[in-house]
Amino acid sequence: MEDLYSGYQPLLFSIAYRMLGSVSDAEDIVHDVYLQISEKTIEQVENKKAYLCKMVTNRCIDFFKSARYKREVYIGPWLPEPLILKDHDPISEVMNQEAISFAFLLLLEKLNPIERAVFVLRQVLRYDYKKISQIVDRSEPNCRKIFSRVNNQFPLKEETEGKPEPKNKEMIQAFVSALYQGNIQKLEELLGKEVTLYSDGGGNVYAALKPIISKDLVTRFILNIMKQNHHADEPAVVKMVNVNGECGLLVKGMDNILTVISFHVKNDQIADIYIVRNPEKLKHVSLESY
DNA sequence: GTTCAAGTGACCTCCGTTTA
DNA sequence: TAAACGGAGGTCACTTGAAC
């Protein structure tokens, strides 16, 4: 059972996280699945990997149906829980191979649970339709059609192809230094014309209740935050980290993680900024590691 | 050349909403 | 309340491309 857990846990977590956009819920589901299966049961199963994927996917579908209601009453923009990836972590190795960006997870959010499962299994994990049909309990042609329709409906494919370019890292470094210097001209160069800033406080902490759109408004918003931080008794520390496979920022206070920021870069400019401030979504980020 | 998996257009069915 | 309508989701059949 231990080998089974260490062998498949990263893969199962990667499926659950993409389906739900929540680190803690994904961990719970994977853990529950391992608690539910007994050694006897699993030994009788021919394809253990497909069996475990099916269990996790079905759990996610059930969970998502109930979570959907919660999100409908969510205060402000909903963002996924950030996943801070480190080198040599088994989960990082699985995640870095596949799409996991905030932009991708937010697009997935628009799909129904079955569409999500089919898309993740096919586009991200490259499963064949036979396996997918067994996992989601739909016919093979139906799975092909679901995938085809999702592809036509949403521009998800580009989000799953390629890894974050090193250029992004330089861009985020330039962004941070422009912030500290208060260099408005440089900030405006880095931001796309229609840049959108999403701020998720979940009603627990201060955050913008609506997405902020346009270069001018976003620049003013972030400079204002920097000004407040500068005048604080204990200014926060900003650190560059790997957030969901892309270069991002972690803002550390005296005794807790205050904010995690992720960026979506398009055509050499920052197209979207995702700011997670909801403490509920930062609980899993360990302060000691940073 | 054959086989097979994948992708997609055309068509059908079902179900929720609208309207008389 | 029942018929009409539209959209979502499913099946069938065909084309395409890769592997052998």
Side-chain angles (χ1 to χ4, degrees), chain A residues 13-31:
Chain A
F13 174 81
S14 79
I15 294 173
Y17 177 64
R18 284 190 180 86
M19 291 279 293
L20 305 170
S22 162
V23 174
S24 45
D25 293 333
E27 281 172 348
D28 285 350
I29 280 183
V30 174
H31 191 239

Side-chain angles (χ1 to χ4, degrees), chain A residues 12 16 57 72 128 144 183 186 201 217 241 250 252-253 283:
Chain A
L12 299 177
T57 305
E72 276 172 1
D128 60 34
R144 283 202 294 271
N183 186 341
K186 183 67 185 171
L217 292 177
V241 288
L250 184 140
K252 204 168 93 166
K283 273 194 299 200

